[in-house]
């Protein structure tokens, strides 16, 4: 059975553990109910220019306002939704909501004119044949141009079925959306393959950022990724920056953008609005 967190049977759903048939069925029906009853919300975390600290984009991060268990983060339900297929409608909802929110920010404030949005895709969503149409529809319905949207995928999603992944990436690129590799460095993509992919952004995983201000090995690795980005004309983003020391080190290495609690935690749309307008309202 899935390890219990005390509050419910799937609070710590780990795909390597087996849930009982009952627990799986319960979670599935809860997720379906949640989708029908607007229980999901999207928070947005700022991504900043490393030099100026100006917010250039925000990453959409889903949460579940569970009627019984309160606010649940993605680790409580994304893997399960991936396993039972509900990630496709859930991911579609996040995509549509994020595009609509970007349009709202822009309507509300001139400061959001250049703001861009980043949305995570799951493996199953990436393999789903209707993905490109879903993305196109989300953009059109929100009235947002494709270049304002970056889709984040992980290395393992790319390496699973290289030819299909390539076709999907090219079809998305054709639409005009930008593509990012998330959690870079934790998977194993080959460099020769990376070179052939229409990727715009490399997001360096937090595990390389944690000790970068004290560990020369991490400096060497991040420096290598910065060089890779330069060689392949891909922008670099460092994830999980929490301290000024990490920021200073990454900035001196030449990383383009940063994301982390130092600049802002995932926050509600109104807080992002305040941040864009120079009011510090992000709650810790
Ligand atoms: P990710 O895409 O790598 O997102 C970054 C995660 O790191 C977020 O966790 C964010 O809150 C957290 N983070 C950012 N800065 C810091 C920091 O300075 N310190 C620490 N300790 N953490 C930081 P979150 O929101 O819990 O999301 C976890 C993962 O769940 C995401 O990792 C992504 O893989 C997945 N996810 C979130 N939303 C979605 C979604 O809408 N669709 C899909 N398919 N996956 C999602
Ligand atoms: Mg991400
Ligand atoms: Mg990441
Ligand atoms: Mg991550």
């Amino acid at each position: 059975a899935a390890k219990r967190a005390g509050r419910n049977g799937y609070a710590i759903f780990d795909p390597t553990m087996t849930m009982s048939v009952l627990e799986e069925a319960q979670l599935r029906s809860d997720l379906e109910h949640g989708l029908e009853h607007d229980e999901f919300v999207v928070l947005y975390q700022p991504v900043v220019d490393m030099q100026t600290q100006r917010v250039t984009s925000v990453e959409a991060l889903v949460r579940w306002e569970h009627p019984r268990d309160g606010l649940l983060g993605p680790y409580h339900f994304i893997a399960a939704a991936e396993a039972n297929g509900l990630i496709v409608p859930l991911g579609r909802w996040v995509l549509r909501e994020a595009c609509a929110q970007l349009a709202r920010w822009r309507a509300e404030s001139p400061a959001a004119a250049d703001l861009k949005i980043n949305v995570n895709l799951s493996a199953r969503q990436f393999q789903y044949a209707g993905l490109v149409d879903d993305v196109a529809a989300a953009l059109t319905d929100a009235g947002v141009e494709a270049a304002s949207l970056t889709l984040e995928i992980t290395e393992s999603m790319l390496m699973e079925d290289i030819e299909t992944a390539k076709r999907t990436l090219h079809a998305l690129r054709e639409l005009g959306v930008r593509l990012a590799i998330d959690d870079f460095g934790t998977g194993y993509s080959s460099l020769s393959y990376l070179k052939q992919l229409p990727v715009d952004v490399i997001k360096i995983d937090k595990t390389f950022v944690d000790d970068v201000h004290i560990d020369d090995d991490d400096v060497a690795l991040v420096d290598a990724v910065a060089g890779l980005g330069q060689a392949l004309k891909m922008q670099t983003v460092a994830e999980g920056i929490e301290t000024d020391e990490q920021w200073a080190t990454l900035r001196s290495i030449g990383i383009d953008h940063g994301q982390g609690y130092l600049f802002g935690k995932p926050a509600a749309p109104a807080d992002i609005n305040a941040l864009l307008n120079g009011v510090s309202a992000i709650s810790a």
Side-chain angles (χ1 to χ4, degrees), residues 59 120 152 182-184 203-206 239:
E59 178 172 5
N120 293 284
E152 300 191 0
D182 205 353
D183 306 339
F184 188 80
K203 296 190 78 170
I204 302 167
D205 195 72
K206 180 177 184 303
E239 300 190 273

PDB file of all heavy atoms in Angstrom, residues 59 120 152 182-184 203-206 239, ligand 3:
ATOM      1  N   GLU A  59       6.739  30.666 -13.890  1.00  0.00           N
ATOM      2  CA  GLU A  59       6.439  29.250 -14.129  1.00  0.00           C
ATOM      3  C   GLU A  59       5.135  28.881 -13.444  1.00  0.00           C
ATOM      4  O   GLU A  59       4.941  29.168 -12.258  1.00  0.00           O
ATOM      5  CB  GLU A  59       7.563  28.355 -13.606  1.00  0.00           C
ATOM      6  CG  GLU A  59       7.240  26.864 -13.810  1.00  0.00           C
ATOM      7  CD  GLU A  59       8.385  25.920 -13.488  1.00  0.00           C
ATOM      8  OE1 GLU A  59       9.444  26.377 -12.997  1.00  0.00           O
ATOM      9  OE2 GLU A  59       8.215  24.704 -13.733  1.00  0.00           O
ATOM     10  N   ASN A 120       4.813  23.301 -17.354  1.00  0.00           N
ATOM     11  CA  ASN A 120       5.399  21.962 -17.341  1.00  0.00           C
ATOM     12  C   ASN A 120       4.527  20.966 -18.094  1.00  0.00           C
ATOM     13  O   ASN A 120       3.304  20.970 -17.953  1.00  0.00           O
ATOM     14  CB  ASN A 120       5.537  21.460 -15.892  1.00  0.00           C
ATOM     15  CG  ASN A 120       6.547  22.255 -15.110  1.00  0.00           C
ATOM     16  OD1 ASN A 120       7.754  22.095 -15.287  1.00  0.00           O
ATOM     17  ND2 ASN A 120       6.059  23.149 -14.248  1.00  0.00           N
ATOM     18  N   GLU A 152       7.987  23.199 -20.678  1.00  0.00           N
ATOM     19  CA  GLU A 152       9.114  22.546 -20.018  1.00  0.00           C
ATOM     20  C   GLU A 152       8.947  21.035 -20.069  1.00  0.00           C
ATOM     21  O   GLU A 152       7.916  20.498 -19.685  1.00  0.00           O
ATOM     22  CB  GLU A 152       9.201  23.012 -18.556  1.00  0.00           C
ATOM     23  CG  GLU A 152       9.405  24.510 -18.427  1.00  0.00           C
ATOM     24  CD  GLU A 152       9.753  24.932 -17.004  1.00  0.00           C
ATOM     25  OE1 GLU A 152       9.828  24.061 -16.113  1.00  0.00           O
ATOM     26  OE2 GLU A 152       9.943  26.146 -16.791  1.00  0.00           O
ATOM     27  N   ASP A 182      13.830  20.845 -18.529  1.00  0.00           N
ATOM     28  CA  ASP A 182      13.719  21.045 -17.084  1.00  0.00           C
ATOM     29  C   ASP A 182      14.647  20.077 -16.344  1.00  0.00           C
ATOM     30  O   ASP A 182      14.993  19.025 -16.884  1.00  0.00           O
ATOM     31  CB  ASP A 182      12.258  20.759 -16.680  1.00  0.00           C
ATOM     32  CG  ASP A 182      11.856  21.472 -15.397  1.00  0.00           C
ATOM     33  OD1 ASP A 182      12.722  22.074 -14.734  1.00  0.00           O
ATOM     34  OD2 ASP A 182      10.651  21.421 -15.068  1.00  0.00           O
ATOM     35  N   ASP A 183      15.032  20.437 -15.135  1.00  0.00           N
ATOM     36  CA  ASP A 183      15.832  19.548 -14.268  1.00  0.00           C
ATOM     37  C   ASP A 183      17.086  19.052 -14.982  1.00  0.00           C
ATOM     38  O   ASP A 183      17.507  17.902 -14.796  1.00  0.00           O
ATOM     39  CB  ASP A 183      15.005  18.329 -13.807  1.00  0.00           C
ATOM     40  CG  ASP A 183      13.699  18.726 -13.142  1.00  0.00           C
ATOM     41  OD1 ASP A 183      13.590  19.877 -12.684  1.00  0.00           O
ATOM     42  OD2 ASP A 183      12.787  17.886 -13.105  1.00  0.00           O
ATOM     43  N   PHE A 184      17.678  19.900 -15.808  1.00  0.00           N
ATOM     44  CA  PHE A 184      18.815  19.466 -16.620  1.00  0.00           C
ATOM     45  C   PHE A 184      19.968  18.991 -15.738  1.00  0.00           C
ATOM     46  O   PHE A 184      20.311  19.629 -14.746  1.00  0.00           O
ATOM     47  CB  PHE A 184      19.298  20.586 -17.546  1.00  0.00           C
ATOM     48  CG  PHE A 184      20.344  20.121 -18.526  1.00  0.00           C
ATOM     49  CD1 PHE A 184      19.972  19.448 -19.669  1.00  0.00           C
ATOM     50  CD2 PHE A 184      21.691  20.344 -18.282  1.00  0.00           C
ATOM     51  CE1 PHE A 184      20.931  18.994 -20.571  1.00  0.00           C
ATOM     52  CE2 PHE A 184      22.658  19.897 -19.165  1.00  0.00           C
ATOM     53  CZ  PHE A 184      22.276  19.220 -20.320  1.00  0.00           C
ATOM     54  N   LYS A 203      17.185  24.426 -18.147  1.00  0.00           N
ATOM     55  CA  LYS A 203      16.989  24.753 -16.734  1.00  0.00           C
ATOM     56  C   LYS A 203      17.853  23.822 -15.892  1.00  0.00           C
ATOM     57  O   LYS A 203      17.630  22.607 -15.849  1.00  0.00           O
ATOM     58  CB  LYS A 203      15.516  24.610 -16.348  1.00  0.00           C
ATOM     59  CG  LYS A 203      14.619  25.593 -17.098  1.00  0.00           C
ATOM     60  CD  LYS A 203      13.202  25.612 -16.547  1.00  0.00           C
ATOM     61  CE  LYS A 203      13.105  26.411 -15.252  1.00  0.00           C
ATOM     62  NZ  LYS A 203      11.687  26.634 -14.854  1.00  0.00           N
ATOM     63  N   ILE A 204      18.848  24.403 -15.241  1.00  0.00           N
ATOM     64  CA  ILE A 204      19.805  23.619 -14.456  1.00  0.00           C
ATOM     65  C   ILE A 204      19.175  23.244 -13.123  1.00  0.00           C
ATOM     66  O   ILE A 204      18.693  24.099 -12.374  1.00  0.00           O
ATOM     67  CB  ILE A 204      21.088  24.440 -14.210  1.00  0.00           C
ATOM     68  CG1 ILE A 204      21.681  24.855 -15.567  1.00  0.00           C
ATOM     69  CG2 ILE A 204      22.084  23.660 -13.372  1.00  0.00           C
ATOM     70  CD1 ILE A 204      22.768  25.921 -15.446  1.00  0.00           C
ATOM     71  N   ASP A 205      19.176  21.961 -12.823  1.00  0.00           N
ATOM     72  CA  ASP A 205      18.488  21.462 -11.636  1.00  0.00           C
ATOM     73  C   ASP A 205      19.053  22.037 -10.337  1.00  0.00           C
ATOM     74  O   ASP A 205      20.253  22.297 -10.210  1.00  0.00           O
ATOM     75  CB  ASP A 205      18.551  19.934 -11.599  1.00  0.00           C
ATOM     76  CG  ASP A 205      17.555  19.371 -10.597  1.00  0.00           C
ATOM     77  OD1 ASP A 205      16.349  19.425 -10.876  1.00  0.00           O
ATOM     78  OD2 ASP A 205      18.002  18.916  -9.518  1.00  0.00           O
ATOM     79  N   LYS A 206      18.169  22.173  -9.387  1.00  0.00           N
ATOM     80  CA  LYS A 206      18.500  22.709  -8.072  1.00  0.00           C
ATOM     81  C   LYS A 206      19.643  21.962  -7.383  1.00  0.00           C
ATOM     82  O   LYS A 206      20.400  22.555  -6.609  1.00  0.00           O
ATOM     83  CB  LYS A 206      17.240  22.646  -7.199  1.00  0.00           C
ATOM     84  CG  LYS A 206      17.401  23.174  -5.793  1.00  0.00           C
ATOM     85  CD  LYS A 206      16.059  23.121  -5.054  1.00  0.00           C
ATOM     86  CE  LYS A 206      16.146  23.723  -3.667  1.00  0.00           C
ATOM     87  NZ  LYS A 206      17.147  23.097  -2.804  1.00  0.00           N
ATOM     88  N   GLU A 239      17.754  26.805 -11.290  1.00  0.00           N
ATOM     89  CA  GLU A 239      16.575  26.582 -10.446  1.00  0.00           C
ATOM     90  C   GLU A 239      16.942  26.498  -8.972  1.00  0.00           C
ATOM     91  O   GLU A 239      18.011  26.012  -8.617  1.00  0.00           O
ATOM     92  CB  GLU A 239      15.922  25.237 -10.791  1.00  0.00           C
ATOM     93  CG  GLU A 239      15.444  25.054 -12.195  1.00  0.00           C
ATOM     94  CD  GLU A 239      14.598  23.779 -12.306  1.00  0.00           C
ATOM     95  OE1 GLU A 239      15.158  22.697 -12.517  1.00  0.00           O
ATOM     96  OE2 GLU A 239      13.370  23.886 -12.145  1.00  0.00           O
TER      97      GLU A 239
HETATM   98 MG1  LIG B   3      12.878  21.854 -12.542  1.00  0.00          MG
END
